[in-house]
Amino acid sequence: MKEAATTSPFLTYILALPEILLVVGAMILLMVGAFRGERSANAISWAAVVLLLLAAVFVLLLPAKGKVLFDGAFIVDSFGRFMKVLTLIGSAAAIVMSFDYMRRARLEKFEYPILILLATAGMMMMISANDLIALYLGLEVQSLALYVIAAFRTDSVRSSEAGLKYFVLGALSSGMLLYGCSLIYGFTGTTGFPGIAAAATLGQTNLGLIFGLVFFLAGLAFKVSAVPFHMWTPDVYEGAPTPVTAFFAAAPKVAAMAMFLRAVLSAFPEITPQWQQIVVFISIASMILGAFAAIGQTDIKRLMAYSSIGHMGFALVGLAAGNAAGAQAVIIYLTIYLVMNLGVFACILSMRRSDGMVEDIDELAGLSRNNPMMAFLLAMLLFSLAGIPPLAGFFAKFYVFLAAINAGLYTLAVIGVLSSVVGAYYYLRIVKIMYFDEPAEEFEAMPGKLQAILGVSGALVTLYFFYPAPLVSAASAAAKSLF
Amino acid sequence: MYYAIVFLPLAGALIAGFFGRLIGARASEVITSAFLVLAAVLSWLAFFQVGLGGQDARIEIFRWVTSGELQVSWALRIDTLTAVMLVVVNSISSLVHIYSIGYMSHDPHRPRFFAYLSLFTFAMLMLVTSDNFLQMFFGWEGVGLMSYLLIGFWYQKPEANAAAIKAFVVNRVGDFGFALGIFAIFYIFGAIQFDTVFAAAPDQVGKTFKFLNWEVDVLTAICLLLFMGAMGKSAQFLLHTWLPDAMEGPTPVSALIHAATMVTAGVFMVARLSPLFEFSPTALGVVTFVGATTAFFAATVGLVQNDIKRVVAYSTCSQLGYMFVAIGVGAYAAGIFHLFTHAFFKALLFLGSGSVIHALHDEQDMRHMGGLRKVLPYTWIAMLVGTLALTGFPFLAGYYSKDAIIEAAFVAQSGVSSYAFVLTVFAALLTSFYSWRLMFMTFHGKNRSEPEVFKKAHESPLIILIPLALLVVGSICAGFLFKDMFIDKGYEAFWRTSLFTLPSNNIIHDLHDVPDMVKFSPAIMMATGFLVALLFYKITPAAPANLADAFRPIYLFLLNKWYFDELYDAIFTKPAMRIGRFLWKKGDGATIDGLGPDGVATRVLDVTRGMIRLQSGYVYHYAFAMLIGVALLATYFMFAPGASQ
């Protein structure tokens, strides 16, 4: 439990400055866009990137010590700091990656960066939420923006379908979440996490509270697209415009997982055995489904959807451990996952020929001869996603499995390792297609922004093992603040 | 000098093998042949130095293996036995090299061929100069490998590949025994140097060891195991099947490896190990028995073969049997003497056959020859001399050595040696018959080849004829020139300690005093064989066919080589193939792959298909899945014991 003193109003707003910055900035940019029209889209996008990075700087300047604001609804601590920076970087990178695509698709609308800003503000709320109501507010701010972004390509039926599906199912999951929250409130008498933690102790738990927990976790699992609440993911990933998919796969996943972590660890520490069973179940289901279902995919975006389902399963392995080491492992996992995904999507966004984007895996055939650098970096990223040493993805998996083993969750760890073996197949298949198949037609040259992102991501993934200490220690500090 | 003798062929092989493409085929031929000729000349020098001058030598090259009790050096052991082998190997090899320049002139892979030939020679020299069992085994396997490579030299021919593999596999069976023998020697004696082992051998007489509750005489067991290796390499009865098939290789190879040198390695090995074999009468009896059986068996098969090279091959097999008979009855010198003379005339016969085959553009079937005397006069003379020498015509090479063996078998006076005597005498008759049959079918009578081919047939070039001429000289002179040294008055002075005989063994002296009937029996047999052949193939050409019809089962039995190939095929090859196929299909394919990688992969794909079907695209399905998930979890917590308090 946190011992956080209430703060003066002025300090409160200072501590919430990153969120305020984003929201106010989004309003201003909206005004600018509304008055200047479509021409300003490019400038607004850059402004949004700057705003996100500025917010990240502010977040870093905040004190590391835990502070509770707004009557306990909002918490600022080093866990939040870490995850917020990660989310902000993910959002900024998503905007940077979208420029070229949007221009070619004639989608240069100023609403896009603004929606991302708003979604990101929602994510920051989610990360810092220390109360069921604050959590729900952040979640809805984020989700509403995401529904719109998914359907952003209004002239495409598939994009609209993706947005609609996401919205309908998202509404359902919000309903479950709310129902769970109301049950929890009903049985504990409070919405604040510390209060719930005090009330929900082992001796006094009853089935009502557990039911509430089940519904609550179902809602959270939907956001991290864990099985069986994942069904929207492949369709939305495939239908949404590719930069949107890239965004979906990165920042919102990190934020949702951070929210998941904080909610279960700080609101239900006393009934860990209960939520642990749920987490183990959805973790196993996600890992297995992610590994098996991806094998049959031919569309690379769909494949990445299943990949992200699987990876969320692996991250949940760390959470299932239910201790600081597990939380630290999850934080590291999410960081590396974000980096890998941004790099892979930079490659997917470069799969363009003169007649438009292609998404079929076979189109990558012979990439090693047409574009050896891109093929090499993509191969490294895929090896890393598969968890092959000495790449970063291996360490990510290593930490979560280690945490699970130390917590005595042997079955979970073994199933995880086995499913990562199955999962390795589809990553390696792409590498095989790139290196050993007869070359397909060449892609257009890779835009500079994508090159930069791919380069940074590839370098981080390949060279991580030289100097893992900064990430490990930062994650350790962040994890400690949850306990 | 000994370094040069042993390592010149190696140098030639390395040059031709690695730089053959660079320096060209002609240069490879000249270099390897020149090195071999030099080595041959030096070998003769060494022969006189050691044999007459008595200068034995032991040259240590370097330490090879030092492991606990096992101390092995590379060393050259030069005594009379080695010197004789050096002469045989290097002389024949150099002649074959020269001959091959002409014979292989149309082959595109000549550098490889000459490299193999020279490397073979080197391995053979390692074998005959070995100072310990391990080095001998090295040479032994080296010649086996080169034999495999040279039989399969024309690797485009499936028969050649099959024959090469057969030779290798059958030799493995023998080598298995040889290797076990070496292990046994190390186990019993604690060393594998010849000198150490020989010195300790008398102490082991009568000692036994237990094997499967069965008292086995130590020396007999060792000797029989070693002899098993000799049987494989020297193509003795039961392990002979590879030698006729080995004729798929180029003819010079047959002459060098499968007549004059490598196949005699078994004889050499037993002679070299005479200090062991002398103490085991049982083993010597086995050697005699196997040798006599082979001599007879191979001769009978040779009667009816139609491939000119196969006739000579069975003849080789038969003559090797003679050598083992000599060794088995204790007349080691007679065996080595026959080895020495046989090398000349058998190489001559092979190279002569090669000349015929060359003239007729690779025709090997004698039924398609005939009347070649006029066309190939020099080859005819060479073959005639070879045949006379083989059949034991007085004063030619084979006369002295073969008769000595038959006499030795008579003198030995034991049950098994009587058996050997009868069979070898009878085999002499058969030898004479098939040799003359070959001569008549090939060179006399009417031409039966395609007129086109016959018209184009021509005498071979000088480079082929010169080696033949030298071998003719050898076949004529090798007998009476060296008789004294090898098996007569100069015996003790010549061999000294290189061949060991017990004090009671005086067979070499005794064999000169045999009844006249025994002395003349080979000559009578030879004459009879000649007359029968003359009758069958010159005077009444219909007789062989009538005879074959009259005794059809016997004819077929011989023609099919006593059905050994079929027998082995049924006993070993087919079951092995069946077991292999079973293990492959059922064991590896169905069980290991099926339950392992393939099975798992298939199940994975099944699971994948099922999961993809779940992803129907309908929102209500998705919503249903979510609700089912929640319901499952809630139900679990309601009913699972201990899930909630």
Side-chain angles (χ1 to χ4, degrees), chain A residues 165 168-169 172 176 205 207 210-211 214-215 218 222 228-229 231 234-235 274 277-278 281 292 295-297 302 306, chain B residues 604-605 607-608 611-612 614-615 617 619 621-623 625-627 629-630 633-634 636-638 642-645:
Chain A
K165 272 183 185 166
V168 171
L169 295 171
L172 179 62
M176 288 182 181
T205 46
L207 205 53
I210 300 294
F211 264 47
V214 168
F215 279 95
F222 179 87
F229 312 101
M231 303 289 269
D235 291 8
Q274 267 67 39
Q277 294 180 41
I278 301 175
F281 168 72
F292 280 88
I295 290 174
Q297 305 305 326
R302 230 180 146 76
Y306 284 108
Chain B
V604 165
L605 286 181
V607 173
T608 301
M611 284 185 174
I612 291 173
L614 285 180
Q615 197 73 28
V619 172
H621 282 167
Y622 297 178
M626 290 167 64
L627 293 174
V630 170
L633 286 172
Y636 170 76
F637 280 109
M638 276 169 74
S644 68
Q645 282 77 26

Side-chain angles (χ1 to χ4, degrees), chain B residues 371-536:
Chain B
L372 290 172
R373 182 161 65 94
K374 301 240 170 49
V375 190
L376 308 170
Y378 301 111
T379 307
W380 176 70
I381 293 173
M383 291 292 278
L384 186 64
V385 172
T387 301
L388 289 172
L390 169 63
T391 54
F393 191 79
F395 312 116
L396 294 186
Y399 168 72
Y400 297 100
S401 55
K402 195 156 86 174
D403 288 13
I405 292 174
I406 291 173
E407 286 155 14
F410 178 79
V411 172
Q413 293 296 0
S414 71
V416 75
S417 69
S418 310
Y419 169 81
F421 173 68
V422 173
L423 285 192
T424 48
V425 170
F426 190 58
L429 168 70
L430 302 177
T431 306
S432 173
F433 175 78
Y434 68 65
S435 302
W436 288 109
R437 173 174 173 267
L438 186 152
M439 286 302 289
F440 290 137
M441 282 183 84
T442 309
F443 291 102
H444 300 265
K446 277 204 277 299
N447 168 48
R448 292 180 301 278
S449 61
E450 300 284 325
E452 302 274 299
V453 177
F454 190 74
K455 218 174 282 168
K456 273 196 233 157
H458 56 87
E459 185 58 278
S460 299
L462 210 54
I463 195 130
I464 287 185
L465 293 178
I466 288 174
L468 288 183
L470 288 171
L471 285 170
V472 164
V473 174
S475 301
I476 294 173
C477 306
F480 65 80
L481 275 185
F482 297 103
K483 170 176 171 285
D484 275 355
M485 273 194 239
F486 275 80
I487 53 168
D488 213 337
K489 298 180 200 70
Y491 171 73
E492 272 93 6
F494 180 67
W495 293 106
R496 294 187 311 282
T497 55
S498 64
L499 294 179
F500 174 84
T501 45
L502 290 175
S504 56
N505 182 348
N506 288 318
I507 195 159
I508 295 291
H509 293 285
D510 296 343
L511 63 82
H512 298 294
D513 316 311
V514 289
D516 287 349
M517 196 54 217
V518 174
K519 259 202 162 72
F520 291 129
S521 63
I524 293 166
M525 287 299 161
M526 178 201 67
T528 317
F530 169 73
L531 289 174
V532 174
L534 189 69
L535 183 71
F536 271 30

Side-chain angles (χ1 to χ4, degrees), chain B residues 535-587:
Chain B
L535 183 71
F536 271 30
Y537 292 94
K538 273 294 252 205
I539 299 166
T540 56
N546 293 338
L547 197 67
D549 282 342
F551 298 97
R552 189 129 198 97
I554 298 181
Y555 173 73
L556 284 179
F557 182 64
L558 297 181
L559 187 67
N560 288 302
K561 308 155 256 179
W562 293 27
Y563 292 106
F564 265 109
D565 281 340
E566 287 74 9
L567 196 66
Y568 284 176
D569 199 45
I571 299 178
F572 301 115
T573 318
K574 287 258 171 61
M577 294 286 268
R578 265 202 296 279
I579 293 172
R581 175 165 283 275
F582 174 79
L583 290 178
W584 166 39
K585 290 281 186 195
K586 295 270 167 2

Side-chain angles (χ1 to χ4, degrees), chain B residues 172-182 222 224-229:
Chain B
R172 285 269 78 59
V173 178
D175 293 345
F176 178 65
F178 191 22
L180 281 182
I182 296 175
I222 289 175
L224 287 179
L225 285 172
L226 295 173
F227 180 59
M228 193 171 154

Side-chain angles (χ1 to χ4, degrees), chain B residues 47-60:
Chain B
F47 176 71
F48 289 113
Q49 239 179 43
V50 177
L52 304 181
Q55 300 169 6
D56 287 3
R58 186 178 177 281
I59 303 162
E60 183 160 332

Side-chain angles (χ1 to χ4, degrees), chain B residues 65-363:
Chain B
V65 180
T66 305
S67 168
E69 278 184 68
L70 186 66
Q71 307 277 344
V72 187
S73 300
W74 282 102
L76 305 181
R77 179 192 178 92
I78 313 288
D79 56 12
T80 310
L81 186 58
T82 304
V84 170
M85 293 306 289
L86 287 180
V87 165
V88 170
V89 172
N90 278 332
S91 305
I92 306 294
S93 180
S94 56
L95 293 178
V96 166
H97 269 81
I98 295 168
Y99 178 92
S100 302
I101 296 177
Y103 191 84
M104 302 296 285
S105 56
H106 302 301
D107 198 283
H109 301 295
R110 275 168 290 161
R112 180 161 65 93
F113 183 77
F114 280 87
Y116 284 173
L117 276 188
S118 284
L119 198 55
F120 164 78
T121 312
F122 168 71
M124 191 71 202
L125 293 172
M126 273 283 110
L127 169 60
V128 299
T129 55
S130 54
D131 182 53
N132 56 61
F133 284 94
L134 196 59
Q135 198 180 336
M136 187 185 236
F137 194 68
F138 170 82
W140 193 265
E141 294 302 313
V143 294
L145 170 67
M146 298 322 293
S147 160
Y148 166 80
L149 290 173
L150 281 166
I151 294 170
F153 180 73
W154 287 319
Y155 54 82
Q156 305 90 336
K157 282 190 358 191
E159 305 88 41
N161 279 328
I165 292 171
K166 189 173 179 182
F168 207 73
V169 171
V170 175
N171 268 297
R172 285 269 78 59
V173 178
D175 293 345
F176 178 65
F178 191 22
L180 281 182
I182 296 175
F183 301 155
I185 282 172
F186 184 68
Y187 176 67
I188 301 287
F189 295 99
I192 55 173
Q193 271 84 358
F194 285 151
D195 289 332
T196 324
V197 174
F198 294 165
D203 303 335
Q204 295 293 334
V205 177
K207 294 223 175 117
T208 57
F209 68 94
K210 262 211 155 110
F211 179 73
L212 296 181
N213 228 359
W214 186 30
E215 294 287 327
V216 187
D217 187 76
V218 170
L219 280 176
T220 302
I222 289 175
C223 288
L224 287 179
L225 285 172
L226 295 173
F227 180 59
M228 193 171 154
M231 280 172 71
K233 191 104 323 197
S234 293
Q236 291 300 288
F237 192 64
L238 299 180
L239 293 181
H240 65 277
T241 53
W242 65 271
L243 184 58
D245 288 13
M247 298 304 138
E248 292 294 341
T251 307
V253 172
S254 310
L256 175 63
I257 300 184
H258 306 118
T261 56
M262 184 188 85
V263 288
T264 61
V267 181
F268 164 79
M269 187 248 269
V270 180
R272 167 63 81 209
L273 303 181
S274 53
L276 292 178
F277 278 81
E278 253 328 69
F279 291 107
S280 175
T282 322
L284 284 178
V286 172
V287 173
T288 314
F289 179 79
V290 170
T293 310
T294 310
F296 172 72
F297 151 78
T300 59
V301 177
L303 294 177
V304 295
Q305 296 302 312
N306 292 314
D307 184 315
I308 186 168
K309 282 179 71 182
R310 279 182 188 249
V311 175
V312 187
Y314 277 105
S315 162
T316 306
C317 201
S318 172
Q319 297 303 311
L320 290 165
Y322 274 93
M323 297 174 207
F324 277 114
V325 168
I327 285 180
V329 297
Y332 302 99
I336 297 296
F337 187 35
H338 195 52
L339 187 162
F340 181 72
T341 57
H342 172 261
F344 291 103
F345 60 71
K346 193 48 64 65
L348 176 60
L349 282 173
F350 262 118
L351 294 184
S353 311
S355 176
V356 172
I357 294 166
H358 195 61
L360 293 181
H361 295 280
D362 299 329
E363 177 58 75

